[in-house]
Amino acid sequence: QKEVEQNSGPLSVPEGAIASLNCTYSDRGSQSFFWYRQYSGKSPELIMSIYSNGDKEDGRFTAQLNKASQYVSLLIRDSQPSDSATYLCAGPGNTGFQKLVFGTGTRLLVSP
Amino acid sequence: GAGVSQTPSNKVTEKGKYVELRCDPISGHTALYWYRQSLGQGPEFLIYFQGTGAADDSGLPNDRFFAVRPEGSVSTLKIQRTERGDSAVYLCASSPDGGDREQYFGPGTRLTVT
């Protein structure tokens, strides 16, 4: 089992809808997770971090962490065409928190 | 303030040659990371520095890869005897410290080995 898994997509949503991106992880001891957005040809850009169970909201973004079920999600409200990108989930993995283990990313397409 | 910078942005080299990739982290960040990203994949960890020392080099694929950070700021990733399979985007990230803090990525260096 991969340490961090994501559906590669693409996930297609119309403009204005809620986009829901999901990620599962294998290490029950993981405490912190990060969501990065990556536009084609660009490097990953940190958009959300979450360190505790529950929800964390920042503008149109909400990150959710459920440690019991070992999943992390990212909700994007009022999706815009400019949100079209690949979203990478990252966690500390099984061997310590200093390095990040990334999923393969979910490609999001927001149609006008 | 200034973000993480990496040079060169693109590097094309012939198989068997030696290359150096440079990373300048965010000022004051003590933790520096190198990752490698292939098309369609997430970044893959290579090495982590805390200050001047390599705290974790478990991701380096083989002994052709080496990295240094002599003064605890700028880091250089060195690849000897490059192979076509080394072609990827090499990403550098920095973090305020080595804990489970946010990591901020530079723009990357696209390495192509012909």
Side-chain angles (χ1 to χ4, degrees):
Chain A
Q1 180 185 7
K2 292 183 180 179
E3 293 179 85
V4 177
E5 294 201 58
Q6 296 180 258
N7 187 320
S8 61
L11 173 66
S12 295
V13 300
E15 183 174 358
I18 296 175
S20 178
L21 304 159
N22 300 307
C23 171
T24 59
Y25 61 92
S26 60
D27 181 17
R28 287 190 172 274
S30 296
Q31 299 290 325
S32 52
F33 291 89
F34 307 91
W35 283 98
Y36 287 83
R37 177 175 62 198
Q38 187 170 29
Y39 291 113
S40 182
K42 301 296 185 182
S43 63
E45 173 193 9
L46 180 68
I47 54 171
M48 287 289 284
S49 58
I50 186 163
Y51 294 92
S52 58
N53 239 9
D55 296 0
K56 178 183 176 182
E57 185 175 321
D58 184 0
R60 294 187 297 114
F61 299 98
T62 298
Q64 299 174 319
L65 174 58
N66 184 321
K67 293 186 179 181
S69 301
Q70 295 177 241
Y71 80 78
V72 193
S73 62
L74 179 70
L75 301 179
I76 307 175
R77 289 181 298 281
D78 188 24
S79 295
Q80 301 297 308
S82 59
D83 294 328
S84 297
T86 295
Y87 289 80
L88 296 160
C89 171
N94 297 333
T95 58
F97 52 76
Q98 291 91 346
K99 62 187 181 189
L100 291 178
V101 176
F102 286 82
T104 54
T106 298
R107 187 174 171 212
L108 173 66
L109 299 175
V110 182
S111 54
Chain B
V4 178
S5 62
Q6 293 186 246
T7 55
S9 54
N10 280 283
K11 177 70 176 178
V12 181
T13 191
E14 293 180 348
K15 179 176 177 296
K17 299 290 188 182
Y18 167 83
V19 296
E20 289 190 352
L21 311 179
R22 175 190 166 106
C23 171
D24 197 345
I26 294 171
S27 178
H29 281 194
T30 61
L32 184 147
Y33 308 79
W34 284 98
Y35 292 84
R36 177 169 71 174
Q37 188 174 27
S38 300
L39 195 63
Q41 301 297 314
E44 176 188 22
F45 170 78
L46 295 176
I47 187 169
Y48 153 58
F49 286 91
Q50 180 57 258
T52 61
D56 184 351
D57 65 357
S58 62
L60 295 178
N62 52 59
D63 61 5
R64 296 186 297 106
F65 289 75
F66 188 71
V68 295
R69 194 186 185 198
E71 298 179 355
S73 179
V74 170
S75 176
T76 304
L77 178 66
K78 308 180 181 193
I79 310 174
Q80 298 177 321
R81 304 183 303 280
T82 52
E83 299 178 356
R84 293 194 180 87
D86 298 335
S87 296
V89 176
Y90 288 80
L91 296 163
C92 177
S94 72
S95 178
D97 59 41
D100 57 345
R101 299 279 300 275
E102 294 91 346
Q103 296 181 22
Y104 300 92
F105 282 87
T109 294
R110 181 175 297 279
L111 176 65
T112 303
V113 182
T114 62

